[in-house]
Amino acid sequence: LRTLKLTLAYDGTRFVGWQRQAEGLSIQGLIEDALAPLAGGRVTVHGAGRTDAGVHAMGQVASVQIACAHDLETLGRALNAQLPPDVRVLGVDEAAPDFHARFSARSKHYRYQIDRAPIADPFRRAWAWHVPDALDVDAMAEAAHLLVGTHDFAVFQSAGTSVSETVRTITRSGITAGDVLVYDVVGTGFLRHMVRAIVGTLVEVGRGRRRPASMGWLLEEGTRADAGRTAPPQGLFLVRVDYD
Amino acid sequence: LRTLKLTLAYDGTRFVGWQRQAEGLSIQGLIEDALAPLAGGRVTVHGAGRTDAGVHAMGQVASVQIACAHDLETLGRALNAQLPPDVRVLGVDEAAPDFHARFSARSKHYRYQIDRAPIADPFRRAWAWHVPDALDVDAMAEAAHLLVGTHDFAVFQSAGTSVSETVRTITRSGITAGDVLVYDVVGTGFLRHMVRAIVGTLVEVGRGRRRPASMGWLLEEGTRADAGRTAPPQGLFLVRVDYD
């Protein structure tokens, strides 16, 4: 068996998310189905990040163990020939036998886009959250910066889900202003809906409904209901996953 | 009756084009239907450029004569509330009684985008033509520049259509290189499929299949079959229309 590392880009608009589900099209399902004829049977593909319905990826990484003799370039071309145009294999690499896209990941980079135009740009409606209100971008940047470090991020975890360990390390958390406001966050791992809950909270800071300094209090003492609402999925991109 | 000038942006992907047709959704039809309740009856809207199926607009202009007392801002909001998110009214202005979006236009700016990435970017597939081949961009720029001036552009007119007067003046025709190659063209008017036929010809220059200097010969002596094939619609945008 060979272990392969696939790098993928996809427009998440019409999918139920990364993970294969009983109903609807998933990225994982499409990749597994495209690999099956090359592998001579069903295979299981592991993704670095289980992106939700409507969330996009510029650089998702997936791993798979597969018995096939094709060279890497042929594999990439064969996969892209079978996949729909909104899912593309950007690269296929040989990986160490114990490589696992999720468990081996050292850090992930997510990006969230906010369209600030007074009238929503029709060309950005599938890639951004439209927030036409006046936003205090400096306050948002200050609040975003307070997330850098090792913290318990349980306050930004989706209600109804729970993992036992909610401490994560964020190494970058910054706002870039422009006609599209961009939030970039890099960290060792992310809880379910964490980036979207952070963005929903940052937008409330931008609207003047909470102070930047309240981020510290949220992390230390807040519960999910104290943080902002989960921002919609179409603004979110998994940009890149890093490995040792 | 008031004469209004509407500035519009739309993602042309799912439409049959600007013009109302017997079957399918058109931009003109949507705008007319959205105006009807405000005007208290059916109105006819004229567009500056009759964009084809799949062609986009960042700054289409339309004119309409309408009997209604609403202020301009209210009209814009009411229209956007009724239109789908892939069609947006960017502005509503009062115009002179004889203003006509098409006949009063002094010049139009079209843009065509070519995605040069080896693997088609899933986020650009609806806004660009994917041409992964090596392209000689300097040769394309040289050929593009030869179109500036007043010429008979009949060679770039779609087969099966004919207007009696095929002389047009192009004031700008240039290539901007990047991971997306952008062709910008500004002129007094454009024949049917003219920009897409020019782009198809420029790409053949880029591939080394014709010389830049052949553009002069094409304009003077060529017939439609001598020029390149019509480039696909999804790369084309009507950027802006200028009036005196």
Side-chain angles (χ1 to χ4, degrees):
Chain A
L1 283 182
R2 293 158 80 190
T3 303
L4 298 179
K5 176 191 176 196
L6 310 177
T7 305
L8 308 165
Y10 48 82
D11 168 1
T13 307
R14 69 184 181 105
F15 300 109
V16 296
W18 165 263
Q19 208 155 13
R20 193 188 266 275
Q21 296 187 24
E23 304 257 327
L25 274 180
S26 67
I27 322 294
Q28 182 187 26
L30 285 173
I31 305 285
E32 289 178 351
D33 292 350
L35 277 166
L38 300 161
R42 239 203 111 192
V43 294
T44 299
V45 169
H46 299 283
R50 285 171 292 188
T51 54
D52 287 309
V55 173
H56 318 291
M58 300 173 182
Q60 168 77 288
V61 173
S63 56
V64 63
Q65 295 202 306
I66 191 173
C68 94
H70 298 295
D71 66 275
L72 301 174
E73 219 183 296
T74 305
L75 270 169
R77 266 203 306 268
L79 286 171
N80 279 331
Q82 288 199 64
L83 290 165
D86 41 1
V87 180
R88 294 287 88 186
V89 175
L90 303 181
V92 184
D93 294 289
E94 207 84 43
D98 63 345
F99 176 77
H100 185 288
R102 184 145 63 99
F103 301 134
S104 309
R106 198 188 56 202
S107 77
K108 283 180 212 150
H109 175 174
Y110 281 96
R111 176 171 294 163
Y112 197 96
Q113 298 194 152
I114 295 175
D115 176 11
R116 300 181 66 197
I119 293 165
D121 184 334
F123 302 108
R124 289 193 180 120
R125 70 191 195 290
W127 334 109
W129 178 22
H130 182 229
V131 181
D133 327 22
L135 292 177
D136 181 341
V137 177
D138 290 339
M140 291 174 74
E142 188 186 335
H145 188 69
L146 290 172
L147 298 175
V148 173
T150 300
H151 307 286
D152 184 341
F153 285 95
V155 67
F156 294 116
Q157 179 173 234
S158 198
T161 60
S162 60
V163 295
S164 49
E165 178 51 58
T166 53
V167 172
R168 298 289 185 273
T169 299
I170 297 296
T171 55
R172 177 182 169 195
S173 172
I175 298 276
T176 309
D179 55 337
V180 173
L181 186 149
V182 176
Y183 172 60
D184 283 293
V185 60
V186 178
T188 55
F190 293 88
L191 304 169
R192 186 160 167 78
H193 292 174
M194 175 171 150
V195 180
R196 290 161 57 193
I198 289 172
V199 169
T201 309
L202 292 176
V203 165
E204 293 188 2
V205 170
R207 285 171 169 153
R209 295 195 198 145
R210 45 175 97 222
R211 294 170 183 280
S214 69
M215 298 301 267
W217 177 85
L218 272 179
L219 288 172
E220 285 179 29
E221 302 184 46
T223 63
R224 181 65 189 86
D226 298 318
R229 293 174 63 174
T230 304
Q234 79 274 7
L236 186 59
F237 295 75
L238 174 52
V239 174
R240 177 188 167 100
V241 187
D242 279 307
Y243 297 90
D244 285 319
Chain B
L1 282 183
R2 294 157 80 189
T3 302
L4 298 180
K5 176 191 177 197
L6 310 178
T7 306
L8 308 165
Y10 48 83
D11 167 2
T13 306
R14 69 184 181 105
F15 299 109
V16 297
W18 166 262
Q19 209 155 14
R20 193 188 265 275
Q21 296 186 25
E23 304 259 328
L25 274 181
S26 67
I27 322 294
Q28 183 188 26
L30 285 175
I31 305 284
E32 288 177 353
D33 292 349
L35 277 167
L38 300 162
R42 237 202 114 194
V43 293
T44 299
V45 169
H46 300 282
R50 284 172 293 189
T51 54
D52 287 308
V55 173
H56 318 290
M58 300 172 183
Q60 168 76 289
V61 174
S63 56
V64 63
Q65 296 201 305
I66 192 174
C68 93
H70 297 296
D71 67 276
L72 301 174
E73 219 183 296
T74 304
L75 270 168
R77 265 203 306 268
L79 287 170
N80 279 331
Q82 288 199 66
L83 290 165
D86 41 1
V87 180
R88 294 288 88 186
V89 175
L90 303 180
V92 184
D93 295 289
E94 207 83 44
D98 63 346
F99 175 77
H100 185 288
R102 186 145 62 99
F103 302 134
S104 308
R106 196 187 60 202
S107 77
K108 281 179 216 150
H109 175 175
Y110 280 97
R111 175 171 294 165
Y112 197 96
Q113 297 194 154
I114 295 175
D115 177 11
R116 300 181 66 198
I119 293 166
D121 184 335
F123 302 108
R124 289 192 180 121
R125 70 192 196 288
W127 334 109
W129 178 21
H130 183 228
V131 181
D133 326 23
L135 294 176
D136 181 342
V137 177
D138 290 339
M140 292 174 74
E142 189 186 334
H145 188 70
L146 291 171
L147 298 175
V148 173
T150 301
H151 306 285
D152 184 340
F153 284 95
V155 67
F156 294 117
Q157 179 173 233
S158 198
T161 61
S162 60
V163 295
S164 49
E165 178 50 58
T166 53
V167 172
R168 297 288 184 276
T169 299
I170 298 294
T171 54
R172 175 181 170 194
S173 171
I175 297 276
T176 310
D179 56 336
V180 173
L181 186 149
V182 176
Y183 172 60
D184 282 292
V185 59
V186 178
T188 55
F190 293 87
L191 304 169
R192 188 161 165 78
H193 293 176
M194 175 170 150
V195 179
R196 290 161 56 192
I198 289 172
V199 169
T201 309
L202 292 176
V203 165
E204 292 187 3
V205 170
R207 284 171 170 151
R209 296 195 196 145
R210 43 175 96 223
R211 292 170 184 280
S214 69
M215 298 302 268
W217 177 86
L218 272 179
L219 288 172
E220 285 180 27
E221 303 185 42
T223 63
R224 181 64 189 88
D226 298 318
R229 293 174 63 173
T230 304
Q234 78 275 7
L236 186 60
F237 295 76
L238 173 52
V239 175
R240 181 189 162 100
V241 188
D242 279 306
Y243 297 89
D244 286 320

